[in-house]
Amino acid sequence: MQMDTDVLTVPAPDLSWRENALCAQAGPEFFFPAPGSSTREAKQLCGACEGRIACLEYALTHDERFGVWGGLSEKERGRLKRLSR
């Protein structure tokens, strides 16, 4: 009996957007502010970033629950997920 040695592999997510992401030039505290702090500056930076859409898709796919991803806060991403169902 011959065994099939082919293994199904899941392709790694494309994270190339991170290489030129503007958030890499700011500290993580900028995108993960203390509770109740403003996310305005992080969202403005995201708005100018060419990787914003890929970042948001990553956050939604991987259920990122904290911080600003793709220009949206935790609550905004939650609303977007609920609306897309």
Side-chain angles (χ1 to χ4, degrees):
M1 182 171 161
Q2 183 178 359
M3 300 241 352
D4 187 1
T5 58
D6 290 336
V7 176
L8 293 176
T9 57
V10 176
D14 178 14
L15 300 177
S16 61
W17 56 269
R18 296 170 90 176
E19 293 172 16
N20 296 319
L22 295 177
C23 60
Q25 300 170 20
E29 65 280 350
F30 198 66
F31 294 90
F32 296 91
S37 297
S38 175
T39 58
R40 182 180 306 131
E41 293 84 10
K43 290 178 179 183
Q44 286 175 338
L45 192 60
C46 289
C49 184
E50 63 186 44
R52 186 180 69 80
I53 300 300
C55 176
L56 179 57
E57 288 174 353
Y58 176 86
L60 294 171
T61 300
H62 293 89
D63 199 28
E64 290 290 346
R65 296 180 185 224
F66 302 100
V68 175
W69 290 80
L72 298 181
S73 68
E74 303 95 351
K75 289 180 183 179
E76 292 165 332
R77 288 192 309 277
R79 276 189 233 119
L80 183 61
K81 284 184 98 167
R82 285 191 298 278
L83 290 173
S84 66
R85 289 183 184 168

